[in-house]
Amino acid sequence: MVEESVIKKLAAQAKIIRRWIVEMTYRAGSGHPGGSLSCADIVTALYFHILRHDPKDHKWSERDRFVLSKGHSCPALYAALAESGYFAIDELFTLRKLGSRLQGHPSVLKLPYLEASTGSLGQGLSMAIGMALAAKIDKKDYKVYALIGDGESNEGNIWEAALFAAHHKLDNLIVFLDRNRIQLDDFTEKILSLEPLADKWKAFGWEVKEIDGHNFEEIINAVDWAKQVKSKPVMIIAHTIKGKGVSFMENTAEFHGKAPNKEQYEQAMKELEK
């Protein structure tokens, strides 16, 4: 059981991350608030409870690795990095500005605290698998975490990567799938059906668990369970709500890649103050 104090602390931090997501995309006039909000609780749990990392030594060799494969949801990642102390909070105001290190998709060439540049859908999972294989070869005990999207799961290289990870028995790899059921234009099941999603990952040789991706106790318990799995990579299918926390953004594709206007921004921030 996860202590109530931990859950309260993470819930408060996630609300701050969500406020930053809305603030950043509003100021930029562009970006992807919907998918950033859906994965905010997972990213918060990772950076503020699960990951072994040190903001003062971002190249620490024993750190856990995290790859945001659905790179367009980077406002959530940037907010978590800044709130963790990797860089000044004020830099969040530069999202998508000319010359900013906080580009519309994460670039490790601009921001050295990242493990990889991502944005080309499906490729982040492959890079995470490479890191997990490297850890095995080097006999390191760090874990590699990745977060992929359900729309991203339309990509063929996701499934090639899935085969590879299972073949090499990468039990140091823990992947979250942000199952918000909406991609750029519409619901995933209308565009290209993924179900039965859990059965597909199991058939590819992965150990699979489904959780509520907005429930911190379930997120933390799932990772604790995943660390005990032997000889298989782990897929945690996290059921989430696109736009979670902002009423008019929830369960709609409209804000997949659209920033709020001034009126919407003010309403969203008001809702996130509650």
Side-chain angles (χ1 to χ4, degrees), residues 38-84:
S38 71
C39 71
D41 294 316
I42 299 168
V43 172
T44 298
L46 285 168
Y47 273 90
F48 297 94
H49 187 77
I50 295 169
L51 290 180
R52 185 170 65 181
H53 68 127
D54 183 358
K56 295 179 181 177
D57 183 8
H58 68 272
K59 288 299 184 186
W60 177 37
S61 63
E62 303 304 315
R63 72 191 184 282
D64 289 333
R65 275 62 166 171
F66 171 64
V67 178
L68 179 69
S69 190
K70 47 176 253 169
H72 55 278
S73 294
C74 56
L77 174 60
Y78 294 154
L81 288 170
E83 286 285 334
S84 296

mmCIF file of all heavy atoms in Angstrom, residues 38-84:
data_model
loop_
_atom_site.group_PDB
_atom_site.id
_atom_site.type_symbol
_atom_site.label_atom_id
_atom_site.label_comp_id
_atom_site.label_asym_id
_atom_site.label_seq_id
_atom_site.Cartn_x
_atom_site.Cartn_y
_atom_site.Cartn_z
ATOM 1 N N SER A 38 -3.058 14.142 -20.338
ATOM 2 C CA SER A 38 -3.431 12.743 -20.061
ATOM 3 C C SER A 38 -2.294 11.977 -19.409
ATOM 4 O O SER A 38 -2.526 11.070 -18.608
ATOM 5 C CB SER A 38 -3.886 12.030 -21.340
ATOM 6 O OG SER A 38 -2.810 11.790 -22.224
ATOM 7 N N CYS A 39 -1.057 12.326 -19.722
ATOM 8 C CA CYS A 39 0.084 11.583 -19.161
ATOM 9 C C CYS A 39 0.708 12.292 -17.966
ATOM 10 O O CYS A 39 1.728 11.829 -17.436
ATOM 11 C CB CYS A 39 1.131 11.312 -20.231
ATOM 12 S SG CYS A 39 2.068 12.762 -20.790
ATOM 13 N N ALA A 40 0.130 13.391 -17.520
ATOM 14 C CA ALA A 40 0.743 14.199 -16.456
ATOM 15 C C ALA A 40 0.927 13.415 -15.156
ATOM 16 O O ALA A 40 1.940 13.574 -14.464
ATOM 17 C CB ALA A 40 -0.106 15.444 -16.198
ATOM 18 N N ASP A 41 -0.029 12.570 -14.803
ATOM 19 C CA ASP A 41 0.098 11.825 -13.546
ATOM 20 C C ASP A 41 1.203 10.772 -13.636
ATOM 21 O O ASP A 41 1.931 10.536 -12.664
ATOM 22 C CB ASP A 41 -1.242 11.176 -13.194
ATOM 23 C CG ASP A 41 -2.313 12.214 -12.884
ATOM 24 O OD1 ASP A 41 -2.003 13.183 -12.167
ATOM 25 O OD2 ASP A 41 -3.440 12.079 -13.399
ATOM 26 N N ILE A 42 1.325 10.141 -14.802
ATOM 27 C CA ILE A 42 2.384 9.136 -14.980
ATOM 28 C C ILE A 42 3.755 9.801 -14.894
ATOM 29 O O ILE A 42 4.657 9.322 -14.201
ATOM 30 C CB ILE A 42 2.222 8.419 -16.343
ATOM 31 C CG1 ILE A 42 0.880 7.690 -16.400
ATOM 32 C CG2 ILE A 42 3.377 7.454 -16.590
ATOM 33 C CD1 ILE A 42 0.497 7.207 -17.789
ATOM 34 N N VAL A 43 3.918 10.919 -15.609
ATOM 35 C CA VAL A 43 5.197 11.636 -15.600
ATOM 36 C C VAL A 43 5.513 12.136 -14.187
ATOM 37 O O VAL A 43 6.656 12.063 -13.729
ATOM 38 C CB VAL A 43 5.159 12.797 -16.611
ATOM 39 C CG1 VAL A 43 6.402 13.674 -16.479
ATOM 40 C CG2 VAL A 43 5.053 12.258 -18.035
ATOM 41 N N THR A 44 4.499 12.616 -13.484
ATOM 42 C CA THR A 44 4.706 13.082 -12.111
ATOM 43 C C THR A 44 5.155 11.935 -11.211
ATOM 44 O O THR A 44 6.109 12.083 -10.430
ATOM 45 C CB THR A 44 3.399 13.688 -11.557
ATOM 46 O OG1 THR A 44 3.042 14.821 -12.358
ATOM 47 C CG2 THR A 44 3.570 14.133 -10.114
ATOM 48 N N ALA A 45 4.482 10.807 -11.298
ATOM 49 C CA ALA A 45 4.857 9.660 -10.467
ATOM 50 C C ALA A 45 6.288 9.220 -10.756
ATOM 51 O O ALA A 45 7.053 8.876 -9.842
ATOM 52 C CB ALA A 45 3.884 8.506 -10.709
ATOM 53 N N LEU A 46 6.662 9.251 -12.037
ATOM 54 C CA LEU A 46 8.016 8.843 -12.403
ATOM 55 C C LEU A 46 9.056 9.788 -11.801
ATOM 56 O O LEU A 46 9.975 9.353 -11.103
ATOM 57 C CB LEU A 46 8.162 8.801 -13.924
ATOM 58 C CG LEU A 46 7.501 7.609 -14.633
ATOM 59 C CD1 LEU A 46 7.472 7.837 -16.147
ATOM 60 C CD2 LEU A 46 8.250 6.318 -14.316
ATOM 61 N N TYR A 47 8.910 11.083 -12.060
ATOM 62 C CA TYR A 47 9.963 12.035 -11.665
ATOM 63 C C TYR A 47 9.971 12.353 -10.179
ATOM 64 O O TYR A 47 11.026 12.708 -9.634
ATOM 65 C CB TYR A 47 9.845 13.325 -12.489
ATOM 66 C CG TYR A 47 10.609 13.202 -13.785
ATOM 67 C CD1 TYR A 47 9.983 12.711 -14.926
ATOM 68 C CD2 TYR A 47 11.965 13.496 -13.851
ATOM 69 C CE1 TYR A 47 10.683 12.529 -16.097
ATOM 70 C CE2 TYR A 47 12.673 13.318 -15.025
ATOM 71 C CZ TYR A 47 12.034 12.835 -16.147
ATOM 72 O OH TYR A 47 12.740 12.645 -17.304
ATOM 73 N N PHE A 48 8.838 12.204 -9.515
ATOM 74 C CA PHE A 48 8.782 12.613 -8.110
ATOM 75 C C PHE A 48 8.619 11.438 -7.147
ATOM 76 O O PHE A 48 8.482 11.668 -5.948
ATOM 77 C CB PHE A 48 7.676 13.652 -7.920
ATOM 78 C CG PHE A 48 7.935 14.907 -8.704
ATOM 79 C CD1 PHE A 48 7.382 15.061 -9.975
ATOM 80 C CD2 PHE A 48 8.773 15.895 -8.211
ATOM 81 C CE1 PHE A 48 7.643 16.200 -10.729
ATOM 82 C CE2 PHE A 48 9.049 17.032 -8.957
ATOM 83 C CZ PHE A 48 8.486 17.187 -10.222
ATOM 84 N N HIS A 49 8.700 10.203 -7.665
ATOM 85 C CA HIS A 49 8.625 9.059 -6.749
ATOM 86 C C HIS A 49 9.376 7.828 -7.250
ATOM 87 O O HIS A 49 10.007 7.127 -6.462
ATOM 88 C CB HIS A 49 7.165 8.681 -6.499
ATOM 89 C CG HIS A 49 7.011 7.629 -5.430
ATOM 90 N ND1 HIS A 49 7.122 7.914 -4.084
ATOM 91 C CD2 HIS A 49 6.784 6.284 -5.518
ATOM 92 C CE1 HIS A 49 6.962 6.805 -3.382
ATOM 93 N NE2 HIS A 49 6.762 5.796 -4.228
ATOM 94 N N ILE A 50 9.305 7.545 -8.546
ATOM 95 C CA ILE A 50 9.792 6.251 -9.033
ATOM 96 C C ILE A 50 11.234 6.295 -9.539
ATOM 97 O O ILE A 50 12.055 5.448 -9.179
ATOM 98 C CB ILE A 50 8.852 5.743 -10.161
ATOM 99 C CG1 ILE A 50 7.454 5.462 -9.587
ATOM 100 C CG2 ILE A 50 9.438 4.512 -10.830
ATOM 101 C CD1 ILE A 50 6.390 5.208 -10.640
ATOM 102 N N LEU A 51 11.562 7.241 -10.380
ATOM 103 C CA LEU A 51 12.873 7.245 -11.028
ATOM 104 C C LEU A 51 14.010 7.447 -10.040
ATOM 105 O O LEU A 51 13.922 8.266 -9.120
ATOM 106 C CB LEU A 51 12.942 8.354 -12.077
ATOM 107 C CG LEU A 51 12.123 8.207 -13.357
ATOM 108 C CD1 LEU A 51 12.351 9.424 -14.252
ATOM 109 C CD2 LEU A 51 12.493 6.935 -14.102
ATOM 110 N N ARG A 52 15.092 6.726 -10.263
ATOM 111 C CA ARG A 52 16.346 6.977 -9.548
ATOM 112 C C ARG A 52 17.122 7.989 -10.398
ATOM 113 O O ARG A 52 17.655 7.645 -11.453
ATOM 114 C CB ARG A 52 17.107 5.652 -9.421
ATOM 115 C CG ARG A 52 18.370 5.737 -8.595
ATOM 116 C CD ARG A 52 18.922 4.345 -8.334
ATOM 117 N NE ARG A 52 19.363 3.685 -9.558
ATOM 118 C CZ ARG A 52 19.867 2.450 -9.597
ATOM 119 N NH1 ARG A 52 19.951 1.736 -8.512
ATOM 120 N NH2 ARG A 52 20.259 1.933 -10.752
ATOM 121 N N HIS A 53 17.133 9.239 -9.964
ATOM 122 C CA HIS A 53 17.789 10.282 -10.768
ATOM 123 C C HIS A 53 18.317 11.377 -9.867
ATOM 124 O O HIS A 53 17.936 11.474 -8.693
ATOM 125 C CB HIS A 53 16.823 10.856 -11.821
ATOM 126 C CG HIS A 53 15.673 11.646 -11.259
ATOM 127 N ND1 HIS A 53 15.365 12.927 -11.669
ATOM 128 C CD2 HIS A 53 14.744 11.346 -10.318
ATOM 129 C CE1 HIS A 53 14.302 13.357 -11.018
ATOM 130 N NE2 HIS A 53 13.892 12.430 -10.199
ATOM 131 N N ASP A 54 19.208 12.199 -10.402
ATOM 132 C CA ASP A 54 19.826 13.275 -9.634
ATOM 133 C C ASP A 54 19.918 14.519 -10.519
ATOM 134 O O ASP A 54 20.769 14.579 -11.415
ATOM 135 C CB ASP A 54 21.223 12.851 -9.167
ATOM 136 C CG ASP A 54 21.882 13.922 -8.307
ATOM 137 O OD1 ASP A 54 21.272 14.989 -8.105
ATOM 138 O OD2 ASP A 54 23.009 13.678 -7.843
ATOM 139 N N PRO A 55 19.056 15.504 -10.282
ATOM 140 C CA PRO A 55 19.089 16.718 -11.108
ATOM 141 C C PRO A 55 20.442 17.430 -11.068
ATOM 142 O O PRO A 55 20.772 18.175 -11.992
ATOM 143 C CB PRO A 55 17.992 17.592 -10.487
ATOM 144 C CG PRO A 55 17.075 16.625 -9.817
ATOM 145 C CD PRO A 55 17.961 15.529 -9.298
ATOM 146 N N LYS A 56 21.233 17.195 -10.007
ATOM 147 C CA LYS A 56 22.543 17.845 -9.908
ATOM 148 C C LYS A 56 23.619 17.088 -10.677
ATOM 149 O O LYS A 56 24.743 17.571 -10.826
ATOM 150 C CB LYS A 56 22.950 17.967 -8.435
ATOM 151 C CG LYS A 56 22.024 18.880 -7.639
ATOM 152 C CD LYS A 56 22.455 18.939 -6.178
ATOM 153 C CE LYS A 56 21.503 19.849 -5.402
ATOM 154 N NZ LYS A 56 21.842 19.877 -3.950
ATOM 155 N N ASP A 57 23.297 15.888 -11.134
ATOM 156 C CA ASP A 57 24.252 15.071 -11.889
ATOM 157 C C ASP A 57 23.469 14.275 -12.935
ATOM 158 O O ASP A 57 23.232 13.079 -12.782
ATOM 159 C CB ASP A 57 25.003 14.132 -10.940
ATOM 160 C CG ASP A 57 26.068 13.317 -11.651
ATOM 161 O OD1 ASP A 57 26.333 13.585 -12.849
ATOM 162 O OD2 ASP A 57 26.635 12.396 -11.018
ATOM 163 N N HIS A 58 23.074 14.986 -13.997
ATOM 164 C CA HIS A 58 22.155 14.350 -14.948
ATOM 165 C C HIS A 58 22.810 13.246 -15.775
ATOM 166 O O HIS A 58 22.121 12.499 -16.465
ATOM 167 C CB HIS A 58 21.531 15.410 -15.871
ATOM 168 C CG HIS A 58 22.490 16.048 -16.819
ATOM 169 N ND1 HIS A 58 23.235 17.161 -16.495
ATOM 170 C CD2 HIS A 58 22.834 15.738 -18.082
ATOM 171 C CE1 HIS A 58 23.993 17.516 -17.521
ATOM 172 N NE2 HIS A 58 23.768 16.663 -18.499
ATOM 173 N N LYS A 59 24.122 13.128 -15.707
ATOM 174 C CA LYS A 59 24.813 12.057 -16.425
ATOM 175 C C LYS A 59 25.253 10.929 -15.497
ATOM 176 O O LYS A 59 26.064 10.080 -15.876
ATOM 177 C CB LYS A 59 26.029 12.632 -17.172
ATOM 178 C CG LYS A 59 25.660 13.487 -18.378
ATOM 179 C CD LYS A 59 24.894 12.675 -19.427
ATOM 180 C CE LYS A 59 24.607 13.497 -20.659
ATOM 181 N NZ LYS A 59 23.740 12.748 -21.631
ATOM 182 N N TRP A 60 24.740 10.931 -14.267
ATOM 183 C CA TRP A 60 25.040 9.858 -13.318
ATOM 184 C C TRP A 60 24.809 8.503 -13.999
ATOM 185 O O TRP A 60 23.709 8.238 -14.487
ATOM 186 C CB TRP A 60 24.140 10.030 -12.102
ATOM 187 C CG TRP A 60 24.239 8.983 -11.052
ATOM 188 C CD1 TRP A 60 25.366 8.338 -10.635
ATOM 189 C CD2 TRP A 60 23.161 8.456 -10.270
ATOM 190 N NE1 TRP A 60 25.060 7.451 -9.628
ATOM 191 C CE2 TRP A 60 23.718 7.503 -9.387
ATOM 192 C CE3 TRP A 60 21.787 8.706 -10.212
ATOM 193 C CZ2 TRP A 60 22.938 6.788 -8.479
ATOM 194 C CZ3 TRP A 60 21.013 8.004 -9.307
ATOM 195 C CH2 TRP A 60 21.584 7.056 -8.458
ATOM 196 N N SER A 61 25.844 7.683 -14.023
ATOM 197 C CA SER A 61 25.771 6.442 -14.817
ATOM 198 C C SER A 61 24.736 5.446 -14.285
ATOM 199 O O SER A 61 24.247 4.605 -15.052
ATOM 200 C CB SER A 61 27.151 5.786 -14.880
ATOM 201 O OG SER A 61 27.580 5.416 -13.574
ATOM 202 N N GLU A 62 24.411 5.521 -13.003
ATOM 203 C CA GLU A 62 23.479 4.553 -12.418
ATOM 204 C C GLU A 62 22.028 5.032 -12.441
ATOM 205 O O GLU A 62 21.149 4.365 -11.888
ATOM 206 C CB GLU A 62 23.895 4.251 -10.982
ATOM 207 C CG GLU A 62 25.321 3.738 -10.834
ATOM 208 C CD GLU A 62 25.580 2.499 -11.664
ATOM 209 O OE1 GLU A 62 24.726 1.597 -11.656
ATOM 210 O OE2 GLU A 62 26.633 2.444 -12.337
ATOM 211 N N ARG A 63 21.783 6.180 -13.049
ATOM 212 C CA ARG A 63 20.409 6.716 -13.064
ATOM 213 C C ARG A 63 19.483 5.820 -13.878
ATOM 214 O O ARG A 63 19.926 5.141 -14.816
ATOM 215 C CB ARG A 63 20.401 8.115 -13.699
ATOM 216 C CG ARG A 63 20.638 8.095 -15.204
ATOM 217 C CD ARG A 63 20.896 9.469 -15.773
ATOM 218 N NE ARG A 63 21.017 9.432 -17.230
ATOM 219 C CZ ARG A 63 22.110 9.024 -17.879
ATOM 220 N NH1 ARG A 63 23.171 8.613 -17.213
ATOM 221 N NH2 ARG A 63 22.145 9.021 -19.203
ATOM 222 N N ASP A 64 18.210 5.819 -13.507
ATOM 223 C CA ASP A 64 17.216 5.202 -14.382
ATOM 224 C C ASP A 64 17.053 6.088 -15.612
ATOM 225 O O ASP A 64 17.234 7.300 -15.557
ATOM 226 C CB ASP A 64 15.873 5.085 -13.658
ATOM 227 C CG ASP A 64 15.894 4.041 -12.557
ATOM 228 O OD1 ASP A 64 16.686 3.081 -12.649
ATOM 229 O OD2 ASP A 64 15.103 4.186 -11.598
ATOM 230 N N ARG A 65 16.686 5.473 -16.713
ATOM 231 C CA ARG A 65 16.470 6.224 -17.958
ATOM 232 C C ARG A 65 14.965 6.349 -18.218
ATOM 233 O O ARG A 65 14.212 5.405 -17.959
ATOM 234 C CB ARG A 65 17.108 5.517 -19.155
ATOM 235 C CG ARG A 65 18.589 5.817 -19.399
ATOM 236 C CD ARG A 65 19.512 5.405 -18.294
ATOM 237 N NE ARG A 65 20.909 5.420 -18.728
ATOM 238 C CZ ARG A 65 21.931 5.267 -17.908
ATOM 239 N NH1 ARG A 65 21.728 5.083 -16.607
ATOM 240 N NH2 ARG A 65 23.177 5.281 -18.372
ATOM 241 N N PHE A 66 14.571 7.500 -18.760
ATOM 242 C CA PHE A 66 13.175 7.678 -19.183
ATOM 243 C C PHE A 66 13.140 8.285 -20.577
ATOM 244 O O PHE A 66 13.776 9.304 -20.849
ATOM 245 C CB PHE A 66 12.412 8.592 -18.225
ATOM 246 C CG PHE A 66 11.038 8.959 -18.742
ATOM 247 C CD1 PHE A 66 10.082 7.975 -18.920
ATOM 248 C CD2 PHE A 66 10.726 10.269 -19.077
ATOM 249 C CE1 PHE A 66 8.816 8.292 -19.422
ATOM 250 C CE2 PHE A 66 9.465 10.593 -19.573
ATOM 251 C CZ PHE A 66 8.508 9.596 -19.750
ATOM 252 N N VAL A 67 12.376 7.666 -21.458
ATOM 253 C CA VAL A 67 12.222 8.157 -22.832
ATOM 254 C C VAL A 67 10.749 8.446 -23.088
ATOM 255 O O VAL A 67 9.901 7.545 -22.984
ATOM 256 C CB VAL A 67 12.742 7.130 -23.864
ATOM 257 C CG1 VAL A 67 12.513 7.645 -25.281
ATOM 258 C CG2 VAL A 67 14.214 6.833 -23.629
ATOM 259 N N LEU A 68 10.450 9.696 -23.399
ATOM 260 C CA LEU A 68 9.084 10.074 -23.773
ATOM 261 C C LEU A 68 8.943 9.829 -25.270
ATOM 262 O O LEU A 68 9.272 10.679 -26.091
ATOM 263 C CB LEU A 68 8.818 11.540 -23.443
ATOM 264 C CG LEU A 68 7.417 12.051 -23.809
ATOM 265 C CD1 LEU A 68 6.352 11.419 -22.919
ATOM 266 C CD2 LEU A 68 7.358 13.580 -23.710
ATOM 267 N N SER A 69 8.451 8.638 -25.618
ATOM 268 C CA SER A 69 8.365 8.301 -27.041
ATOM 269 C C SER A 69 7.334 9.172 -27.754
ATOM 270 O O SER A 69 7.537 9.562 -28.898
ATOM 271 C CB SER A 69 8.029 6.816 -27.204
ATOM 272 O OG SER A 69 8.172 6.417 -28.558
ATOM 273 N N LYS A 70 6.217 9.453 -27.076
ATOM 274 C CA LYS A 70 5.221 10.372 -27.681
ATOM 275 C C LYS A 70 5.701 11.807 -27.406
ATOM 276 O O LYS A 70 5.176 12.533 -26.555
ATOM 277 C CB LYS A 70 3.809 10.117 -27.139
ATOM 278 C CG LYS A 70 3.656 9.978 -25.645
ATOM 279 C CD LYS A 70 2.188 9.834 -25.264
ATOM 280 C CE LYS A 70 1.647 11.064 -24.624
ATOM 281 N NZ LYS A 70 0.239 11.160 -24.437
ATOM 282 N N GLY A 71 6.707 12.199 -28.182
ATOM 283 C CA GLY A 71 7.444 13.426 -27.906
ATOM 284 C C GLY A 71 6.624 14.701 -27.955
ATOM 285 O O GLY A 71 6.986 15.694 -27.320
ATOM 286 N N HIS A 72 5.496 14.690 -28.678
ATOM 287 C CA HIS A 72 4.697 15.909 -28.751
ATOM 288 C C HIS A 72 4.059 16.263 -27.410
ATOM 289 O O HIS A 72 3.575 17.379 -27.233
ATOM 290 C CB HIS A 72 3.609 15.768 -29.832
ATOM 291 C CG HIS A 72 2.722 14.574 -29.646
ATOM 292 N ND1 HIS A 72 3.077 13.313 -30.067
ATOM 293 C CD2 HIS A 72 1.499 14.444 -29.085
ATOM 294 C CE1 HIS A 72 2.107 12.463 -29.765
ATOM 295 N NE2 HIS A 72 1.137 13.120 -29.169
ATOM 296 N N SER A 73 4.088 15.334 -26.453
ATOM 297 C CA SER A 73 3.563 15.628 -25.114
ATOM 298 C C SER A 73 4.652 16.199 -24.201
ATOM 299 O O SER A 73 4.541 16.132 -22.972
ATOM 300 C CB SER A 73 2.967 14.356 -24.488
ATOM 301 O OG SER A 73 1.823 13.939 -25.206
ATOM 302 N N CYS A 74 5.681 16.777 -24.798
ATOM 303 C CA CYS A 74 6.834 17.275 -24.040
ATOM 304 C C CYS A 74 6.510 18.376 -23.021
ATOM 305 O O CYS A 74 7.294 18.540 -22.067
ATOM 306 C CB CYS A 74 7.926 17.743 -24.982
ATOM 307 S SG CYS A 74 7.397 18.986 -26.167
ATOM 308 N N PRO A 75 5.430 19.158 -23.137
ATOM 309 C CA PRO A 75 5.181 20.113 -22.056
ATOM 310 C C PRO A 75 5.116 19.449 -20.678
ATOM 311 O O PRO A 75 5.587 20.024 -19.691
ATOM 312 C CB PRO A 75 3.840 20.747 -22.451
ATOM 313 C CG PRO A 75 3.853 20.716 -23.945
ATOM 314 C CD PRO A 75 4.505 19.387 -24.267
ATOM 315 N N ALA A 76 4.566 18.247 -20.597
ATOM 316 C CA ALA A 76 4.532 17.528 -19.316
ATOM 317 C C ALA A 76 5.943 17.190 -18.854
ATOM 318 O O ALA A 76 6.284 17.340 -17.678
ATOM 319 C CB ALA A 76 3.695 16.254 -19.452
ATOM 320 N N LEU A 77 6.780 16.748 -19.785
ATOM 321 C CA LEU A 77 8.159 16.388 -19.455
ATOM 322 C C LEU A 77 8.965 17.616 -19.051
ATOM 323 O O LEU A 77 9.691 17.590 -18.045
ATOM 324 C CB LEU A 77 8.808 15.692 -20.651
ATOM 325 C CG LEU A 77 10.298 15.370 -20.535
ATOM 326 C CD1 LEU A 77 10.576 14.452 -19.348
ATOM 327 C CD2 LEU A 77 10.792 14.735 -21.828
ATOM 328 N N TYR A 78 8.858 18.692 -19.820
ATOM 329 C CA TYR A 78 9.608 19.915 -19.490
ATOM 330 C C TYR A 78 9.210 20.441 -18.103
ATOM 331 O O TYR A 78 10.067 20.872 -17.323
ATOM 332 C CB TYR A 78 9.328 21.000 -20.532
ATOM 333 C CG TYR A 78 9.830 20.713 -21.928
ATOM 334 C CD1 TYR A 78 9.213 21.298 -23.039
ATOM 335 C CD2 TYR A 78 10.918 19.871 -22.154
ATOM 336 C CE1 TYR A 78 9.663 21.053 -24.331
ATOM 337 C CE2 TYR A 78 11.371 19.619 -23.443
ATOM 338 C CZ TYR A 78 10.742 20.214 -24.531
ATOM 339 O OH TYR A 78 11.193 19.977 -25.814
ATOM 340 N N ALA A 79 7.917 20.420 -17.821
ATOM 341 C CA ALA A 79 7.455 20.906 -16.513
ATOM 342 C C ALA A 79 8.015 20.044 -15.384
ATOM 343 O O ALA A 79 8.441 20.564 -14.352
ATOM 344 C CB ALA A 79 5.925 20.916 -16.474
ATOM 345 N N ALA A 80 8.049 18.719 -15.592
ATOM 346 C CA ALA A 80 8.585 17.821 -14.563
ATOM 347 C C ALA A 80 10.083 18.046 -14.368
ATOM 348 O O ALA A 80 10.583 18.031 -13.232
ATOM 349 C CB ALA A 80 8.307 16.373 -14.937
ATOM 350 N N LEU A 81 10.800 18.255 -15.454
ATOM 351 C CA LEU A 81 12.242 18.507 -15.351
ATOM 352 C C LEU A 81 12.511 19.810 -14.594
ATOM 353 O O LEU A 81 13.384 19.864 -13.720
ATOM 354 C CB LEU A 81 12.870 18.568 -16.750
ATOM 355 C CG LEU A 81 12.993 17.235 -17.500
ATOM 356 C CD1 LEU A 81 13.399 17.472 -18.949
ATOM 357 C CD2 LEU A 81 14.011 16.316 -16.826
ATOM 358 N N ALA A 82 11.772 20.857 -14.947
ATOM 359 C CA ALA A 82 11.978 22.147 -14.280
ATOM 360 C C ALA A 82 11.589 22.056 -12.804
ATOM 361 O O ALA A 82 12.317 22.541 -11.931
ATOM 362 C CB ALA A 82 11.160 23.233 -14.977
ATOM 363 N N GLU A 83 10.464 21.437 -12.519
ATOM 364 C CA GLU A 83 10.026 21.304 -11.131
ATOM 365 C C GLU A 83 10.978 20.418 -10.321
ATOM 366 O O GLU A 83 11.061 20.543 -9.101
ATOM 367 C CB GLU A 83 8.608 20.725 -11.079
ATOM 368 C CG GLU A 83 7.520 21.709 -11.489
ATOM 369 C CD GLU A 83 7.245 22.747 -10.405
ATOM 370 O OE1 GLU A 83 7.496 22.454 -9.238
ATOM 371 O OE2 GLU A 83 6.800 23.864 -10.750
ATOM 372 N N SER A 84 11.695 19.513 -11.003
ATOM 373 C CA SER A 84 12.679 18.660 -10.320
ATOM 374 C C SER A 84 13.983 19.390 -10.050
ATOM 375 O O SER A 84 14.820 18.905 -9.279
ATOM 376 C CB SER A 84 12.972 17.407 -11.160
ATOM 377 O OG SER A 84 11.828 16.596 -11.286
#
